[in-house]
């Protein structure tokens, strides 16, 4: 392949897909492709899909309908547009995608992205390609790293996949089938990638994985825990902040909880999905913990770091969920004092045990419960944001805001914070006096150094909550 061609990748779903899309972009850059923000002028369009809920897959098919018109238009102009479907819908549906949407030339699963240049070459010869095997080789060994320029363009906060797949088999979830068994990347590769990112100006790293706190990658001396990895990454010059997502309550090991006490760079915010507040439903879900186990983990984290705030995921209308079960879910929102959460209607996924159950809940009931749980979450989120007013927060400035002269950054709790400040401060960590709270974000002014409060003050957060839109969904 030679010459410059254009690549458009549209990502659906979680941050792991965003990360994968970036790595595909970097790999295709080596094959002469430049990224384009629109599908219209692309030579290769990749839809990087999500299969976690029904609607996500349907969105892909309706997008393919739109792209068909673009592909037809390109053909009329004498231009060939190759359409690829990647990600978890590709893994789950395979050839069915080409049957349902014949404009698709190439279907590739999440473990095969490194093969994209070769698969593209085959598709260009008119062969319909489906590659959803779980290969023996590690895709990360073959995916190209981002150039310095690409890293800088992506901003001061970056995601790094450290773990993929899941062995937990929650009865509602399709991930173990689409992403495969739990695999951790080796420590050395992660350090190398994070050092390269930090060297290009990245100040904040979020380690991501479907079950990130089950991390057990090979490092010097054997398998390293996530806590040990975080301790090592915290030593990398230039890095100001570390985060990780998404965690399973069962895997919150003692050393990881202690890392929240010992590592200043590790932010006091944790996305720890509980899914349901009812022990009966947790058992049906095969979550392998009870409500009280979960609350115990929260208490230990707060002991380790009193200013911790938590976000969560909830599923309402799971098979067999009674009004009492749902009341227990509403109650846990208040008990933990969540700062925000994602909440979903249960969506039966073909091939998962929960989808086979006869006691499915009516959609009308699911809709009503979703509204009630979201209202409860919103109430706590608003209280959390309001509790920040009058306090000083460290803000990592990320990009210009909507108003001239304004920047947007993130608080330690991932809240967007809008501040009048010069663009030269992008990438800086600054103390900001919070003056106002909106529904999903904060507003503030640069604080003089003397106004700055102690970073680990237990009183820094009175309501342990954080912001919905800023949570990382994995
Ligand atoms: N590994 C994470 C954990 O154990 O919490 C969750 C990963 S999953 C990709 C993200 C979220 O999607 C889950 O926490 C769950 O709330 C939601 N989810 C997964 N399967 C679902 C389903 N069948 N219906 C509705 N929501 C679902
Ligand atoms: Fe694994 Fe999370 Fe899905 Fe459970 S919900 S099977 S832990 S990815």
């Amino acid at each position: 392949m030679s010459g410059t061609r254009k690549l458009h990748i549209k990502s659906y779903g979680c941050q792991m897909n965003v990360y994968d899309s970036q790595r595909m972009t970097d790999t295709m850059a080596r094959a002469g492709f430049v990224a384009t923000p629109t599908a219209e002028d692309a030579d290769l369009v990749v839809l990087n899909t999500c299969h976690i809920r029904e609607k996500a897959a349907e969105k892909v098919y309706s997008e393919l309908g739109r792209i068909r018109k673009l592909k037809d238009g390109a053909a009329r102009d004498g231009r060939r547009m190759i359409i690829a479907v990647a990600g978890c819908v590709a893994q789950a549906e395979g050839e069915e995608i080409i049957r349902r949407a014949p404009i698709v030339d190439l279907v590739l699963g999440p473990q095969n992205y490194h093969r994209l240049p070769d698969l593209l070459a085959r598709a260009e010869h008119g062969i319909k390609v489906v590659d959803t095997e779980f290969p023996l080789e590690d895709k990360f060994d073959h995916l190209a790293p981002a150039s310095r320029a690409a890293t800088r363009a992506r901003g001061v906060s970056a995601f790094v996949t450290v773990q993929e797949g899941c062995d937990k088999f929650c009865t509602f979830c399709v991930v173990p089938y689409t992403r495969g068994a739990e695999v951790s990347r080796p420590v050395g590769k992660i350090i190398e990638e994070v050092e390269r990112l930090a060297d290009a100006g990245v100040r904040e790293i979020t380690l991501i994985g479907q079950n990130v706190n089950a991390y057990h990658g090979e490092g010097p001396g054997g398998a390293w825990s996530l806590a040990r990895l975080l301790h090592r990454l915290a030593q990398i010059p230039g890095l100001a902040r570390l985060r990780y997502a998404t965690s399973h309550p069962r895997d919150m090991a003692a050393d990881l909880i202690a890392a929240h006490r010992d590592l200043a760079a590790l932010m006091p915010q944790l996305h720890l999905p509980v899914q349901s507040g009812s022990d009966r439903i947790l058992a049906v879900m095969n979550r392998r913990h009870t409500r009280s186990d979960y609350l115990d983990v929260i208490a230990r984290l707060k002991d380790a770091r009193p200013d911790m705030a938590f976000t969560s995921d909830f599923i309402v209308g799971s098979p067999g969920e009674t009004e009492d079960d749902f009341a227990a879910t509403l109650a846990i929102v208040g008990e933990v004092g969540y700062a925000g959460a994602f909440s979903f209607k249960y969506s039966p996924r073909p091939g998962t045990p929960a989808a086979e159950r006869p006691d499915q809940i009516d959609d009308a009931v699911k809709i009503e419960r979703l509204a009630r749980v979201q209202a409860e979450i919103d109430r706590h989120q608003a209280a959390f944001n309001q509790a920040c007013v009058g306090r000083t927060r460290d803000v990592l400035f990320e990009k210009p805001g909507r108003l001239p002269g304004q920047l947007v950054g993130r608080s330690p709790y991932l809240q967007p914070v809008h501040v009048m400040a010069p663009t030269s401060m992008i990438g800086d960590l600054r103390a900001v006096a919070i003056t106002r709270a909106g529904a999903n974000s904060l507003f503030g002014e640069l604080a003089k150094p003397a106004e700055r409060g102690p970073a680990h003050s237990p009183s820094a957060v009175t309501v342990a909550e954080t912001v919905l839109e800023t949570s990382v969904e994995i």
Side-chain angles (χ1 to χ4, degrees):
M1 242 170 292
S2 61
T4 300
R5 293 193 290 164
K6 290 184 180 168
L7 161 70
H8 175 74
I9 305 190
K10 181 163 180 174
S11 254
Y12 296 80
C14 68
Q15 284 301 338
M16 294 198 68
N17 270 8
V18 174
Y19 175 83
D20 286 343
S21 296
Q22 290 176 349
R23 298 296 300 263
M24 277 191 269
T25 305
D26 299 332
T27 299
M28 294 313 289
R30 281 193 172 168
F33 278 83
V34 291
T36 172
T38 56
E40 278 78 358
D41 59 341
D43 301 291
L44 171 62
V45 175
V46 180
L47 301 185
N48 193 8
T49 62
C50 168
H51 201 238
I52 200 80
R53 284 168 294 276
E54 199 172 7
K55 267 201 190 140
E58 286 314 311
K59 269 192 221 158
V60 174
Y61 284 110
S62 74
E63 181 67 6
L64 284 170
R66 194 182 74 83
I67 289 174
R68 182 164 55 86
K69 295 189 187 111
L70 300 181
K71 184 167 174 156
D72 291 347
R76 277 195 296 277
D77 295 343
R79 206 160 49 81
R80 177 100 185 262
M81 189 187 265
I82 299 279
I83 312 298
V85 176
C88 294
V89 174
Q91 187 66 43
E93 307 218 343
E95 286 174 14
E96 174 65 15
I97 295 178
I98 293 179
R99 261 198 292 278
R100 217 173 134 178
I103 59 147
V104 173
D105 302 287
L106 210 167
V107 174
L108 75 164
Q111 304 310 328
N112 308 71
Y113 296 149
H114 57 299
R115 295 178 174 169
L116 183 54
D118 292 342
L119 299 176
L120 174 65
R122 285 168 58 196
E124 283 177 327
H125 282 94
I127 303 166
K128 295 276 183 190
V129 184
V130 177
D131 189 352
T132 52
E133 283 166 31
F134 286 96
L136 290 176
E137 75 270 16
D138 178 358
K139 70 175 174 193
F140 290 109
D141 287 343
H142 301 273
L143 287 164
S147 68
R148 210 177 151 79
T151 301
R152 292 190 86 91
R154 286 172 191 160
V156 297
S157 180
F159 293 91
V160 173
T161 293
V162 299
Q163 176 279 330
E164 276 200 292
C166 182
D167 297 340
K168 292 276 191 297
F169 289 91
C170 299
T171 53
F172 54 82
C173 185
V174 80
V175 166
Y177 311 96
T178 55
R179 289 271 176 173
E182 198 183 285
V183 177
S184 297
R185 290 179 69 195
V187 167
K189 302 269 183 196
I190 296 165
I191 294 172
E192 203 182 295
E193 186 170 339
V194 174
E195 280 177 344
R196 196 178 317 108
L197 290 168
D199 187 52
V202 168
R203 306 294 319 277
E204 175 179 81
I205 295 284
T206 305
L207 304 180
I208 55 176
Q210 268 94 20
N211 218 334
V212 72
N213 57 341
Y215 178 83
H216 58 274
E218 274 308 305
W224 282 32
S225 66
L226 185 67
R228 189 164 175 199
L229 180 65
L230 286 163
H231 275 274
R232 173 63 185 82
L233 297 180
Q235 294 166 12
I236 294 176
L239 280 191
R241 290 179 165 182
L242 289 169
R243 305 178 186 275
Y244 57 94
T246 290
S247 298
H248 192 287
R250 277 269 300 219
D251 294 323
M252 284 309 301
D255 65 342
L256 188 53
I257 293 175
H260 280 277
R261 181 193 62 215
D262 300 334
L263 283 177
L266 188 55
M267 290 295 96
Q269 181 268 339
L270 185 65
H271 189 62
L272 194 62
V274 67
Q275 315 295 357
S276 170
S278 153
D279 278 342
R280 206 179 64 82
I281 295 294
L282 287 171
V284 169
M285 286 176 162
N286 189 32
R287 289 292 288 180
R288 308 167 195 218
H289 65 78
T290 62
R291 175 195 180 96
S292 106
D293 295 335
Y294 180 87
L295 292 173
D296 181 54
V297 169
I298 297 276
R300 286 163 58 211
L301 280 157
K302 279 186 176 165
D303 272 354
R305 178 114 194 216
D307 60 347
M308 280 299 281
F310 300 93
T311 52
S312 185
D313 293 341
F314 291 95
I315 297 178
V316 300
S318 291
E321 186 187 75
T322 63
E323 191 52 38
D324 280 354
D325 294 321
F326 177 66
T329 295
L330 281 182
I332 206 168
V333 175
E335 204 167 328
V336 174
Y338 285 110
F342 294 105
S343 54
F344 310 105
K345 283 191 299 175
Y346 167 67
S347 167
R349 308 315 291 132
T352 58
E356 307 299 321
R357 288 179 62 108
D359 48 356
Q360 302 291 328
I361 301 291
D362 239 39
D363 203 45
V365 175
K366 289 185 195 172
I367 291 170
E368 192 257 345
R369 288 182 185 165
L370 186 65
R372 279 159 72 198
V373 77
Q374 197 53 58
E376 185 67 356
I377 291 163
D378 289 350
R379 204 167 63 76
H380 286 276
Q381 180 179 319
F384 180 67
N385 285 349
Q386 204 50 49
C388 295
V389 176
R391 299 182 182 278
T392 301
R393 292 276 180 263
D394 282 343
V395 172
L396 176 61
F397 287 121
E398 291 184 349
K399 57 185 180 191
R402 256 179 291 164
L403 302 179
Q406 192 186 52
L407 294 185
V408 187
R410 297 276 181 181
S411 77
Y413 302 100
L414 277 174
Q415 297 145 298
V417 186
H418 305 264
V419 183
M420 298 309 284
T423 47
S424 58
M425 283 190 185
I426 291 174
D428 285 2
L429 194 62
R430 299 273 174 161
V432 169
I434 306 300
T435 53
R436 187 160 68 83
N440 291 315
S441 56
L442 302 175
F443 298 82
E445 292 163 1
L446 289 171
K448 294 185 195 84
E451 289 177 52
R452 193 171 159 167
H456 278 52
S457 161
S459 62
V461 178
T462 50
V463 188
E465 291 159 26
T466 185
V467 174
L468 174 65
E469 72 160 24
T470 57
S471 297
V472 176
E473 193 197 350
I474 300 295

